[in-house]
Amino acid sequence: MQWKKSPPELIASFDRAAPEDPRVTRKPMFGYPAMFVNGNMFAGTFQDKVVVRLAEADRAELLTRRGAQQFEPMAGRPMKEYVVVPPAIVARTAELRAWIERALSHAAALPAKKSATKKTAAAKSTPPKGAERKSTPPKGAQRKRS
């Protein structure tokens, strides 16, 4: 299967529908724009599609819509909780935003990925640029005598 970039119009629709939530981080997944919360991806583009990760009831509801389908990045390899959003919904920013927000709610309730919690902890313990660092030896370390 040939991989292709997401069209600029699709990325623009995805960007317009992005939730304004400080917990949301954006980074590429497999080279495509994606949104994450607590290290869990909840929405993204893939080639010419927008995909969302939904709770079971929301998945069932979206799959009743014409054009929706379970997301399979490779034939025969479905991603269990992900659904392809129908193009008719992608074309309507408010409706797409509502589905992305449902996906955010679902992913926010999942356990945080360990890498996300480590990065958050590291960010909190890292002093701001320009701040002085104290040079203290680690506990148990012996000081050299002159």
Side-chain angles (χ1 to χ4, degrees):
M1 176 173 110
Q2 176 100 10
W3 293 74
K4 56 185 174 186
K5 289 184 175 185
S6 294
E9 313 79 55
L10 180 74
I11 294 171
S13 294
F14 183 70
D15 289 343
R16 283 191 300 275
E20 292 184 20
D21 186 313
R23 300 173 298 165
V24 174
T25 57
R26 299 189 61 165
K27 61 183 178 180
M29 182 63 138
F30 307 120
Y32 297 100
M35 296 178 213
F36 295 77
V37 63
N38 298 328
N40 293 300
M41 183 176 135
F42 65 89
T45 68
F46 181 79
Q47 298 188 5
D48 59 349
K49 301 166 180 58
V50 171
V51 296
V52 289
R53 182 179 191 178
L54 298 167
E56 188 174 344
D58 289 334
R59 267 195 319 275
E61 181 182 340
L62 185 56
L63 286 168
T64 65
R65 305 286 182 96
R66 191 167 143 218
Q69 61 189 25
Q70 187 172 23
F71 177 52
E72 288 188 20
M74 296 184 336
R77 299 204 174 218
M79 287 181 70
K80 188 171 103 175
E81 296 181 319
Y82 291 85
V83 176
V84 175
V85 179
I89 293 175
V90 173
R92 294 188 295 273
T93 303
E95 195 171 354
L96 177 58
R97 181 178 294 119
W99 283 104
I100 290 175
E101 287 178 353
R102 286 187 191 196
L104 169 60
S105 294
H106 171 62
L110 298 172
K113 296 279 185 173
K114 288 182 182 179
S115 61
T117 56
K118 285 180 186 176
K119 287 177 185 173
T120 302
K124 288 180 181 176
S125 67
T126 304
K129 284 187 176 182
E132 288 186 33
R133 293 184 181 196
K134 292 182 181 178
S135 179
T136 56
K139 285 186 178 180
Q142 293 183 11
R143 292 188 145 166
K144 290 184 180 181
R145 293 185 181 175
S146 318

